Amino acid sequence: MPATIIDGVAVSRSILAELKAEVDALRSSHGVVPGLVTILVGENPASVSYVTRKIKTALELGFHEVQENCDPDISEADLLALVRRCNEDPSIHGILVQLPLPDHIDEQKVIYAIDPDKDVDGFHPVNVGRLVLGGDEVRFPPCTPAGIQELIIRSGVELNGAEVVVVGRSNIVGKPIANMLLQKNARANATVTVVHTRTRDLAAHCRRADILIVAAGVAGLVKPEWIRPGCCVIDVGVNRVGEKISSRTGKPVAILRGDVDFEAAREIAGSITPVPGGVGPMTITMLMKNTLASCKARL
Ligand code: GUN
């Protein structure tokens, strides 16, 4: 039987409806709305596309949205000064600096400059530490891993005691999702293995997985024979493999592929996320959730 498709667009929509109700209630009860600043440096097409979607979603939820579009040659000092102004602005509850930044700017310096209590991406080392400690310490779970956890839970896949294999050890996805799913709580309690480019037998590890999370950034890396029958496959890869003309707009658009051979994998897996339309929409949704949580914490 082909796998159930985990529809990230539908799950996102229902979470956004929940968030919208909370934003409306907050406005009525306290006269406050969550404030999000999106800081974009330059015009990297992927970054422009991500930021545009973040802004659109924030506006649909009724957030106070501030767009800071900076010249690609903005100095590091000026960007740091902008971040500090946002730290001080009481109408801003979340600061999003879209990555990557141009080579002349030290990304780490910029992330470190964000007030950890407005770091809705969850990238500041204080928030990384809080995530590792778990429990009540966690303020802002990073958005893509938080979206993955939510997709697994809302699909009814059991995490308690599950064998989870994470392919990839990035700071944005691999490391945080591994930390989140091994925590001692009802939304986690998994046995987690992290594998990467230096792992000796990737296939053998993947074959053990009840839940396989792939965030390697290599199109089609995971072969169907690596997937255990019935496995829940979460494909985080967004690889641009070419361009096509959109039938809707007549303009060129990227052809996207995941890290998993989707068509073959869906014949073996129990459930699987598509690319696009799986994890992607969840990242933006969880950013909104973190910004709302930040606003509520300020009250
Ligand atoms: N670039 C790619 N993904 C992300 C993300 O989740 N947050 C930020 N700030 N930049 C990104």
Side-chain angles (χ1 to χ4, degrees):
M1 197 170 59
T4 304
I5 306 299
I6 300 176
D7 183 347
V9 176
V11 176
S12 280
R13 237 183 243 136
S14 72
I15 297 173
L16 288 171
E18 294 163 20
L19 299 181
K20 176 89 172 68
E22 278 196 62
V23 174
D24 291 347
L26 203 59
R27 190 191 302 101
S28 315
S29 61
H30 290 81
V32 172
V33 292
L36 174 68
V37 60
T38 46
I39 302 178
L40 173 66
V41 180
E43 291 179 348
N44 172 319
S47 294
V48 170
S49 156
Y50 286 134
V51 168
T52 305
R53 279 161 43 212
K54 288 169 186 176
I55 293 167
K56 181 170 175 280
T57 309
L59 292 174
E60 282 167 1
L61 287 179
F63 283 17
H64 165 56
E65 220 302 320
V66 180
Q67 300 172 38
E68 294 286 357
N69 295 328
C70 307
D71 259 19
D73 50 7
I74 184 174
S75 70
E76 186 180 276
D78 284 351
L79 183 59
L80 289 170
L82 170 60
V83 169
R84 291 195 191 102
R85 281 199 300 280
C86 296
N87 286 343
E88 300 303 319
D89 183 340
S91 73
I92 297 294
H93 306 99
I95 300 173
L96 183 288
V97 180
Q98 187 65 28
L99 304 177
L101 292 171
D103 288 345
H104 68 278
I105 296 175
D106 182 343
E107 223 162 72
Q108 198 180 25
K109 253 194 202 168
V110 177
I111 292 171
Y112 279 46
I114 299 171
D115 177 349
D117 290 338
K118 294 190 178 187
D119 167 41
V120 285
D121 256 329
F123 293 166
H124 191 287
V126 165
N127 286 317
V128 176
R130 287 168 169 167
L131 188 84
V132 174
L133 290 172
D136 294 340
E137 289 295 326
V138 181
R139 284 295 307 276
F140 301 120
C143 304
T144 300
I148 293 169
Q149 186 179 34
E150 206 61 50
L151 276 183
I152 295 170
I153 292 168
R154 291 190 186 227
S155 310
V157 174
E158 183 64 55
L159 267 166
N160 272 269
E163 288 285 344
V164 172
V165 175
V166 179
V167 183
R169 52 179 160 176
S170 68
N171 289 335
I172 294 186
V173 184
K175 284 185 205 163
I177 191 65
N179 267 304
M180 288 163 76
L181 297 186
L182 62 76
Q183 294 294 342
K184 191 170 184 176
N185 68 59
R187 293 169 55 82
N189 285 331
T191 303
V192 183
T193 306
V194 182
V195 299
H196 48 79
T197 41
R198 295 297 177 96
T199 297
R200 245 181 284 134
D201 191 347
L202 267 181
H205 286 286
C206 292
R207 276 192 208 106
R208 284 190 303 101
D210 300 315
I211 301 172
L212 181 61
I213 300 170
V214 193
V218 180
L221 172 74
V222 171
K223 309 294 176 245
E225 58 273 21
W226 297 12
I227 295 169
R228 178 174 164 164
C231 178
C232 168
V233 179
I234 306 289
D235 189 350
V236 191
V238 185
N239 305 291
R240 288 162 187 256
V241 295
E243 252 185 19
K244 62 179 180 186
I245 300 298
S246 160
S247 54
R248 196 169 52 83
T249 62
K251 291 186 181 160
V253 287
I255 301 172
L256 302 179
R257 290 271 183 280
D259 289 351
V260 178
D261 177 351
F262 177 79
E263 287 307 327
R266 70 186 294 191
E267 299 302 322
I268 300 160
S271 52
I272 186 166
T273 57
V275 176
V279 175
M282 294 297 290
T283 299
I284 295 178
T285 300
M286 302 323 276
L287 177 73
M288 302 303 140
K289 186 171 178 184
N290 280 348
T291 308
L292 172 60
S294 176
C295 174
K296 283 161 65 175
R298 290 267 156 167
L299 290 177

